[in-house]
C-alpha cells in the first residue's frame, strides 16, 4: 500500500475548450458523431469515443481512471449500486454448471445471490470458514470457477490471508474476486496478492458522506471486457451525476480513511474492558484473533468497531435506543458515526444458524466510526452502555 492521494486528486477527464479546473457534469444521454463512418467505427470499437451514457460517460470514465490507479487495476466498470457490481461481475463470468467457493462471512445480499438466485441458473456454491484455511483446498471441485471473499468481512471483521489465497487460486487456475469495501484501496490492494477482480460498494467509504449510490468493479482487462458486455446489455450502469460526486470524493479518500481508522482504534481502546460488553473488535486491537494478519496486509485497522453487548438482542436494542448523537442506519463509511444491529437489519434474511456460523449474534452491534471529535463519539457510546 502507498499514499496515492496526489494521483487521486490530479487525475481527471480531458478538459474542454472552456479550460475548467474541475470536470463538469456531462448530463447527456448520448453523444454525436462527425459522420456515419465515425459512428460505425466507434460502435465497432475501431475508434475510441463516447456513444451512449449507458455504455460510458466522461464522468464515469474519470472515476474509473482514478479508482483503477488506486487499486492498481487495468480496467473497470461502474454500476448503479454496490450489489450491481457483485451481481454483474459474477453473472458475467459464471455459467450453468459452475461452482463458487466463497468465504462464509459475506454481506447479507451477497449471501442471497449465492443461495437463492444463482442456484436457479445451475450455479452452485460451497462456503469455507476463514478460521479453517486448511479445509479450503479440499472444497475445490472440477466445476469450481472462482473464489469470492470479503476481507475484512461485513460485519464480523473476519480476515483472510490474501497472499495465501492468491497462491491457492494460482495453483488451481481459479479466478479470485475480492470485495474490498471495508478496507478501500487506502488500506490494502488485493490485486497485489493475485486478485483478478476487486469490488466496491462506492456508496460506503468512497462516497463517504451518505449522498449517492454506486458500485465499481476493477481488475484484469480481459475480465472487465466480459463484465462490461454483460452490464451494458442489462442496464446497470452508474449515472453521470453519481460518478461526478464519487470522483470528487476520491480526492479526500486517503485523508478520510486515515481519520476513520484513527478514531475507530481510539473507540475500540476506550471500550475494551467495559463491563457491559462481552467483546470489542477492531483488526488493529492486539487481542483481535487475526491481529498479526491484519498488521501484515492492512495499512491500518479500518473504520469499523463491533461491540458484543451482554444480554443479547434486548440489551443491544436498549443500547442503540439510548444513543444521542450517533445515527441508527444501515449504511457505513459515512462522516457521521452510525450504529447498526446486523441480526435484525442487514443480515436479517439469514437463518439463525447461518448468522451464528458467521459470528453474527443477537447482541452484536456494528459501529461505523465517523469523523466527529473522537471524545464525543466515545462519550455517546459510554453513556448509552451505562
Amino acid at each position: 500500500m502507498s499514499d496515492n492521494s496526489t494521483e487521486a486528486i490530479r487525475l481527471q477527464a480531458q478538459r474542454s475548450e472552456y479550460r475548467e479546473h474541475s470536470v463538469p457534469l456531462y448530463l447527456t444521454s448520448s453523444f454525436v458523431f462527425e459522420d456515419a463512418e465515425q459512428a460505425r467505427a466507434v460502435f465497432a470499437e475501431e475508434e475510441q469515443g463516447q456513444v451512449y451514457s449507458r455504455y460510458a460517460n466522461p464522468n464515469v470514465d474519470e472515476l474509473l481512471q482514478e479508482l483503477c490507479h488506486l487499486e492498481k487495476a487495468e480496467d473497470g466498470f461502474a454500476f448503479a449500486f454496490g450489489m450491481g457490481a457483485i451481481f454483474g461481475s459474477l453473472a458475467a463470468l459464471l455459467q450453468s454448471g459452475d461452482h463458487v467457493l466463497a468465504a462464509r462471512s459475506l454481506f447479507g445480499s451477497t449471501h442471497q445471490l449465492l443461495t437463492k438466485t444463482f442456484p436457479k441458473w445451475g450455479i452452485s456454491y460451497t462456503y469455507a470458514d476463514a478460521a479453517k484455511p486448511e479445509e479450503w483446498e479440499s472444497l475445490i471441485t472440477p466445476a469450481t470457477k472462482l473464489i469470492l471473499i470479503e476481507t475484512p468481512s461485513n460485519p464480523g471483521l473476519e480476515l483472510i490471508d490474501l497472499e495465501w489465497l492468491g497462491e491457492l487460486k494460482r495453483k488451481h487456475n481459479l479466478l479470485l474476486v475480492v470485495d474490498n469495501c471495508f478496507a478501500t484501496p487506502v488500506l490494502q490492494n488485493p490485486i497485489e496478492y493475485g486478485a483478478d477482480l476487486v469490488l466496491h460498494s462506492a456508496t460506503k467509504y468512497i462516497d463517504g458522506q451518505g449522498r449517492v449510490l454506486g458500485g465499481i468493479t476493477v481488475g484484469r482487462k480481459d475480465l472487465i471486457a466480459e463484465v462490461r458486455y454483460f452490464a451494458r446489455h442489462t442496464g446497470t450502469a452508474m449515472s453521470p451525476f453519481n460518478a461526478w460526486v464519487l470522483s470528487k470524493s476520491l480526492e479526500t479518500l486517503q485523508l478520510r480513511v486515515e481519520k476513520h481508522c484513527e478514531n475507530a482504534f481510539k473507540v475500540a481502546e476506550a471500550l475494551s474492558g467495559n463491563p457491559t460488553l462481552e467483546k470489542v473488535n477492531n483488526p488493529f486491537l492486539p487481542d483481535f484473533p487475526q491481529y498479526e494478519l491484519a498488521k501484515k496486509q492492512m495499512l491500518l485497522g479500518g473504520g469499523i468497531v463491533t461491540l458484543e453487548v451482554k444480554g443479547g438482542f434486548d440489551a443491544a436494542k436498549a443500547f442503540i435506543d439510548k444513543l444521542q448523537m450517533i445515527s441508527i442506519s444501515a449504511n457505513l463509511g459515512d462522516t457521521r458515526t452510525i450504529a447498526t444491529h446486523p441480526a435484525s437489519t442487514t443480515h436479517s434474511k439469514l437463518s439463525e444458524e447461518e448468522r451464528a456460523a458467521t459470528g453474527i449474534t443477537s447482541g452484536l452491534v456494528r459501529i461505523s466510526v465517523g469523523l466527529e471529535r473522537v471524545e464525543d463519539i466515545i462519550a455517546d457510546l459510554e453513556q448509552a452502555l451505562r
Side-chain angles (χ1 to χ4, degrees):
M1 287 75 67
S2 59
D3 186 338
N4 290 314
S5 54
T6 296
E7 291 82 359
I9 292 168
R10 286 292 169 178
L11 286 172
Q12 69 176 71
Q14 183 178 350
R15 289 191 175 99
S16 73
E17 67 272 20
Y18 296 109
R19 305 184 308 282
E20 65 277 350
H21 191 213
S22 181
V23 67
L25 272 165
Y26 288 92
L27 297 180
T28 180
S29 59
S30 55
F31 302 84
V32 297
F33 305 100
E34 294 296 329
D35 50 37
E37 172 55 24
Q38 185 187 41
R40 183 206 66 79
V42 172
F43 265 86
E45 298 184 356
E46 298 170 3
E47 179 181 328
Q48 293 296 312
Q50 301 292 342
V51 175
Y52 191 63
S53 283
R54 175 162 54 86
Y55 284 19
N57 176 281
N59 295 123
V60 177
D61 288 351
E62 179 183 83
L63 171 64
L64 289 172
Q65 180 187 12
E66 293 168 345
L67 197 61
C68 283
H69 178 82
L70 293 175
E71 283 286 12
K72 301 176 173 58
E74 296 174 347
D75 201 358
F77 191 85
F79 294 81
F81 313 102
M83 284 310 303
I86 294 173
F87 172 73
S89 301
L90 296 180
L93 300 177
L94 297 171
Q95 59 185 356
S96 181
D98 284 343
H99 171 258
V100 176
L101 177 61
R104 186 179 300 278
S105 297
L106 292 174
F107 177 58
S109 292
T110 308
H111 170 79
Q112 296 300 315
L113 284 180
L114 291 178
T115 60
K116 299 290 192 296
T117 302
F118 286 138
K120 292 191 295 185
W121 301 331
I123 298 167
S124 61
Y125 73 95
T126 301
Y127 278 145
D129 290 323
K132 300 177 181 177
E134 69 279 0
E135 296 181 356
W136 284 54
E137 190 164 18
S138 66
L139 301 176
I140 295 172
T141 75
T144 304
K145 178 73 175 288
L146 62 81
I147 300 172
L148 172 66
I149 68 162
E150 298 172 8
T151 182
S153 69
N154 181 9
L157 302 179
E158 281 192 323
L159 305 184
I160 295 173
D161 189 329
L162 289 169
E163 183 178 15
W164 162 78
L165 198 55
E167 293 172 357
L168 181 67
K169 79 100 187 182
R170 283 187 286 268
K171 178 180 178 180
H172 293 274
N173 194 29
L174 303 175
L175 299 176
L176 175 57
V177 180
V178 178
D179 185 331
N180 201 28
C181 177
F182 268 31
T184 82
V186 174
L187 303 185
Q188 67 185 16
N189 293 124
I191 288 173
E192 292 185 327
Y193 296 96
D196 299 288
L197 293 180
V198 173
L199 313 179
H200 285 279
S201 171
T203 313
K204 310 303 191 295
Y205 286 106
I206 291 176
D207 173 32
Q209 293 168 71
R211 299 168 298 185
V212 298
L213 300 170
I216 300 177
T217 299
V218 298
R220 276 173 39 189
K221 194 174 186 66
D222 60 324
L223 298 178
I224 293 296
E226 295 185 52
V227 172
R228 180 180 294 110
Y229 178 85
F230 179 87
R232 283 180 171 182
H233 298 291
T234 53
T236 57
M238 181 182 288
S239 78
F241 177 79
N242 286 14
W244 180 80
V245 171
L246 293 167
S247 179
K248 302 307 292 181
S249 294
L250 280 181
E251 296 180 9
T252 62
L253 181 67
Q254 183 94 24
L255 291 172
R256 288 186 289 104
V257 169
E258 288 175 357
K259 186 62 176 175
H260 280 297
C261 294
E262 177 187 331
N263 279 1
F265 184 72
K266 289 179 179 178
V267 166
E269 276 193 318
L271 297 183
S272 292
N274 187 296
T276 66
L277 297 174
E278 295 279 1
K279 188 188 303 180
V280 177
N281 266 338
N282 177 269
F284 265 37
L285 278 179
D287 63 353
F288 184 73
Q290 297 169 297
Y291 172 74
E292 294 299 332
L293 176 58
K295 298 285 282 191
K296 170 188 168 185
Q297 70 185 27
M298 294 174 67
L299 183 64
L300 296 166
I304 303 295
V305 174
T306 62
L307 309 177
E308 180 74 38
V309 183
K310 291 180 180 178
F313 174 71
D314 289 340
K317 179 178 180 295
F319 160 63
I320 290 173
D321 287 346
K322 289 176 184 174
L323 292 168
Q324 296 174 357
M325 178 189 75
I326 294 170
S327 306
I328 305 170
S329 174
N331 198 21
L332 61 91
D334 200 301
T335 55
R336 292 159 292 192
T337 301
I338 292 170
T340 307
H341 184 253
S344 63
T345 58
T346 56
H347 292 71
S348 59
K349 296 296 187 292
L350 277 67
S351 69
E352 189 172 342
E353 292 75 20
E354 289 168 336
R355 288 196 297 271
T358 57
I360 304 173
T361 63
S362 60
L364 184 75
V365 178
R366 185 187 72 194
I367 306 296
S368 172
V369 181
L371 304 183
E372 304 97 339
R373 198 169 68 101
V374 71
E375 292 82 1
D376 295 332
I377 302 171
I378 293 169
D380 195 23
L381 291 167
E382 287 183 338
Q383 68 81 23
L385 288 170
R386 283 195 299 271

